[in-house]
Amino acid sequence: QQQVKQSPQSLIVQKGGISIINCAYENTAFDYFPWYQQFPGKGPALLIAIRPDVSEKKEGRFTISFNKSAKQFSLHIMDSQPGDSATYFCAASRVGSSNTGKLIFGQGTTLQVKP
Amino acid sequence: DVKVTQSSRYLVKRTGEKVFLECVQDMDHENMFWYRQDPGLGLRLIYFSYDVKMKEKGDIPEGYSVSREKKERFSLILESASTNQTSMYLCASSFTGGMNTEAFFGQGTRLTVV
């Protein structure tokens, strides 16, 4: 019953390179798309989020690109650093008028940034 | 600093045992969630609660139940633990309403059923 599909499952990038993780969703009622970052031994933490009324959101080196017609969104990490090595999860939720904050997560991507 | 605390980091239980995983949040959040994390499968929602004594099934509720008697506490119960329930369990909480649906996670409980 996976409604959010994430790829790739793992990613290795050189320091200074661009990391790109992609997600696709099925439910057009979703209207909130966050990315979570998880370090080993820790719970996931919100990294950046976007709503479908914009096509891009940037926070520092992290950018979300959103394509509503294709039902896809992606995370770009510019100038990737070894400290970015973590597992990244995309997610989707329906906020709307009945917001429960119920998040549907993708399968996760393990990112390794080599020095 | 916001906090979601899970009672145990590691648990080892025997097949058939009844297992309780406890979660407490100090942010007065209405919503609380239990997820299960397995490699390649991401985070899968087991149950969530949007108010005291209220609950809804998630994607994989079979073999689990939950209890929420107080707003700050949400318990996950494995009625009769099985080896296929060996996993990382994550509790989360969030506000209801408005545009902020950020979920705050606990550190996780790694459960091994032998």
Side-chain angles (χ1 to χ4, degrees):
Chain A
Q1 200 173 348
Q2 186 63 263
Q3 297 184 44
V4 179
K5 295 183 178 180
Q6 182 173 345
S7 63
Q9 188 169 349
S10 63
L11 183 61
I12 300 174
V13 173
Q14 290 295 128
K15 179 181 175 182
I18 302 173
S19 303
I20 301 174
I21 305 170
N22 300 299
C23 282
Y25 63 97
E26 300 169 2
N27 188 346
T28 55
F30 288 146
D31 56 6
Y32 175 70
F33 302 91
W35 285 88
Y36 280 75
Q37 180 187 53
Q38 184 183 31
F39 292 106
K42 304 287 187 181
L46 180 65
L47 180 64
I48 186 173
I50 196 168
R51 298 197 183 278
D53 52 343
V54 296
S55 60
E56 186 175 282
K57 182 173 181 180
K58 184 176 181 180
E59 290 185 1
R61 297 184 293 109
F62 300 89
T63 300
I64 300 178
S65 298
F66 186 82
N67 185 329
K68 189 174 181 178
S69 61
K71 294 188 288 185
Q72 295 176 348
F73 58 110
S74 60
L75 176 69
H76 296 234
I77 306 174
M78 311 300 288
D79 186 26
S80 298
Q81 299 296 313
D84 297 330
S85 297
T87 299
Y88 292 82
F89 293 97
C90 64
S93 177
R94 181 180 180 183
V95 179
S97 60
S98 60
N99 172 25
T100 64
K102 178 183 173 183
L103 288 167
I104 306 300
F105 284 89
Q107 294 91 331
T109 297
T110 301
L111 171 65
Q112 181 184 359
V113 181
K114 290 194 168 183
Chain B
D1 199 16
V2 297
K3 209 167 210 178
V4 178
T5 303
Q6 295 182 229
S7 54
S8 304
R9 291 296 301 272
Y10 301 95
L11 273 180
V12 180
K13 296 293 182 180
R14 295 197 178 275
T15 301
E17 274 193 82
K18 190 169 186 177
V19 181
F20 293 85
L21 302 183
E22 306 286 345
C23 176
V24 177
Q25 52 98 359
D26 64 359
M27 296 165 283
D28 202 34
H29 285 166
E30 295 88 354
N31 302 322
M32 295 189 75
F33 307 87
W34 277 105
Y35 288 91
R36 172 175 170 163
Q37 182 175 5
D38 298 288
L41 297 177
L43 300 172
R44 293 180 292 167
L45 182 64
I46 304 172
Y47 267 98
F48 76 99
S49 169
Y50 49 91
D51 201 350
V52 175
K53 297 188 185 295
M54 306 303 290
K55 63 186 179 185
E56 284 192 24
K57 293 180 180 179
D59 295 328
I60 52 167
E62 296 78 17
Y64 304 94
S65 62
V66 291
S67 173
R68 193 168 180 199
E69 297 295 320
K70 293 184 177 182
K71 189 175 185 180
E72 67 272 16
R73 188 180 297 271
F74 193 35
S75 303
L76 180 68
I77 304 156
L78 286 66
E79 296 292 340
S80 178
S82 64
T83 55
N84 63 11
Q85 293 178 308
T86 292
S87 187
M88 172 68 83
Y89 290 87
L90 288 161
C91 176
S93 69
S94 70
F95 280 117
T96 293
M99 303 305 282
N100 180 8
T101 62
E102 180 178 357
F104 294 86
F105 282 85
Q107 76 277 26
T109 296
R110 183 163 294 281
L111 173 67
T112 301
V113 182
V114 298

